Amino acid sequence: MRAIQATVNLAALRHNLAVVRKFSPASKVLAVVKADAYGHGLLRASPGLEDADGFGVLRLSEALALRESGYSQTLLLLEGVFAADELIAAAAHGISIVVHNEQQVQMLEQAVPQLPHPLQVFLKMNSGMNRLGFKPNLFGAVVKRLKACPAVRPDIVLMTHFATADDERGIDLPLSVFQKTTQGLPYSISLANSATILRHPAAHYDWVRPGIMLYGASPVTGVAAAHYGLQPVMQFTSEVIAVQVLQAGETLGYGARFSAETETRVAVIACGYADGYPRHAPNGTPIAINGSISQTLGRVSMDMLFADITHLPEAGVGSEVELWGGLVPVDAVAEASGTVGYELLCAVAPRVPFKVVG
């Protein structure tokens, strides 16, 4: 059996949740576990987040799985519902919904006879990202409609999402738009994603919505997760399955993308893009072998990749490999590959076996 494996560390999840509370001590925490808990496995990861005040998911099936597993916290559908039967199921199981378009408002207004219970609504404003939500000039009227709707609980939450919380542009303009539009409205507020939690304390308010930071990766390009005290939750590992010795001028792998300048010992590792490792990772992407940092060589294949072990004479067949984790931050692999840690964590393939520790 191939030795490739992804390990989910629940103790690291608990630690990262504590970091969220350290940054936002007065806020409730809605742990975002969409995309199968960012690739970690929804029901594998959720025990490490059981002390969160709520969970944010994308699909109704995810919310139902959490509810059926005994989680009584707030469960929020981050894109809301798209059909009347979903609305009824959400109401029956006490699941909260985001409302971000006119059709969803109308669905609530027309659903009263069928609903077993009214729903908690998080009403979303489009404060500049132009993805989901009501424009500020329409927002007040929608608040009034929801307040008057028997299908909606009185504890409405007002929310928005920031496009540039992670860079130098910050959130001043969209935050000002949101504050001006909602001034005087007697409702709770949820604005802060991971980057906002870490960089913009003025926008924490009543509910924060951490995502990537819970899994030990950084939402801020160029700033390591360890800088914020975060710990990696996933360790992606494999082993060396063969060793090749290249002479000067010999090439390696598809496309001959690496050419040896001197004699080079090469580890062939049981992991490829079919396992979720980025095919576009270039020569020099960090990797750890037997606990020592090295670098990848050549093009990533479907089932294999290569690393330089010239400087590691003890490394050979059976040597342990960390693709990312405690020694090699997932953000370092992502940065080398021109992407973000979010994508790599979410892309670990179903054929990779998972183990839970902690």
Side-chain angles (χ1 to χ4, degrees):
M1 180 182 292
R2 299 170 82 225
I4 190 168
Q5 179 176 268
T7 301
V8 175
N9 188 325
L10 298 183
L13 271 169
R14 296 185 191 100
H15 170 87
N16 295 338
L17 179 59
V19 172
V20 174
R21 294 201 185 278
K22 177 182 176 182
F23 275 86
S24 303
S27 304
K28 292 183 179 180
V29 177
L30 187 89
V32 179
V33 291
K34 63 179 180 176
D36 205 23
Y38 287 52
H40 293 69
L42 176 64
L43 297 183
R44 282 191 294 266
S46 53
L49 298 169
E50 61 187 1
D51 289 336
D53 302 288
F55 293 93
V57 298
L58 194 72
R59 298 176 298 167
L60 178 62
S61 60
E62 295 170 319
L64 293 175
L66 287 169
R67 196 60 92 217
E68 290 166 4
S69 296
Y71 292 94
S72 59
Q73 296 99 317
T74 296
L75 303 180
L76 178 65
L77 296 178
L78 293 166
E79 291 183 2
V81 297
F82 298 92
D85 60 337
E86 291 184 334
L87 193 67
I88 294 169
H93 293 87
I95 296 167
S96 304
I97 62 171
V98 168
V99 169
H100 58 80
N101 64 37
E102 172 65 21
Q103 289 74 23
Q104 291 172 331
V105 176
Q106 292 178 4
M107 197 184 306
L108 284 164
E109 291 173 332
Q110 297 165 7
V112 178
Q114 295 82 27
L115 287 188
H117 311 285
L119 296 103
Q120 183 185 36
V121 165
F122 282 57
L123 179 61
K124 191 162 197 175
M125 181 190 298
N126 174 8
S127 60
M129 181 175 275
N130 293 314
R131 199 170 63 171
L132 298 178
F134 293 92
K135 289 288 184 75
N137 63 312
L138 303 174
F139 198 74
V142 177
V143 170
K144 291 179 180 178
R145 289 171 65 186
L146 293 178
K147 181 180 179 181
C149 181
V152 176
R153 282 172 27 183
D155 56 341
I156 296 169
V157 180
L158 310 180
M159 69 184 300
T160 194
H161 197 63
F162 298 124
T164 56
D166 58 334
D167 65 32
E168 68 280 355
R169 287 168 290 183
I171 65 169
D172 287 351
L173 180 58
L175 178 59
S176 175
V177 169
F178 182 89
Q179 291 172 330
K180 181 179 179 180
T181 304
T182 61
Q183 186 175 8
L185 295 178
Y187 299 111
S188 295
I189 291 173
S190 175
L191 307 179
N193 61 357
S194 291
T196 306
I197 291 167
L198 296 172
R199 302 184 73 227
H200 305 286
H204 288 180
Y205 284 92
D206 304 289
W207 282 93
V208 294
R209 308 189 304 269
I212 193 66
M213 68 181 293
L214 290 173
Y215 307 99
S218 176
V220 183
T221 302
V223 182
H227 172 78
Y228 299 112
L230 300 169
Q231 297 178 358
V233 173
M234 181 190 293
Q235 185 186 38
F236 193 21
T237 58
S238 188
E239 70 177 17
V240 177
I241 60 171
V243 174
Q244 299 292 340
V245 179
L246 305 186
Q247 301 303 315
E250 289 190 302
T251 61
L252 179 66
Y254 286 119
R257 199 169 71 174
F258 172 78
S259 180
E261 295 182 359
T262 60
E263 184 176 280
T264 305
R265 288 184 76 232
V266 176
V268 183
I269 297 163
C271 180
Y273 60 79
D275 300 296
Y277 197 87
R279 182 179 181 272
H280 48 285
N283 291 321
T285 300
I287 194 169
I289 300 174
N290 281 352
S292 297
I293 301 298
S294 188
Q295 59 182 1
T296 64
L297 302 173
R299 178 173 291 165
V300 176
S301 304
M302 181 180 288
D303 307 305
M304 289 171 279
L305 55 84
F306 312 104
D308 187 356
I309 53 171
T310 307
H311 63 302
L312 301 173
E314 79 288 352
V317 174
S319 290
E320 296 180 354
V321 176
E322 183 183 274
L323 302 150
W324 60 70
L327 295 172
V328 181
V330 67
D331 295 319
V333 179
E335 184 175 355
S337 305
T339 184
V340 290
Y342 302 73
E343 182 180 8
L344 299 189
L345 294 174
C346 290
V348 175
R351 78 179 191 177
V352 175
F354 273 78
K355 176 183 177 182
V356 178
V357 298

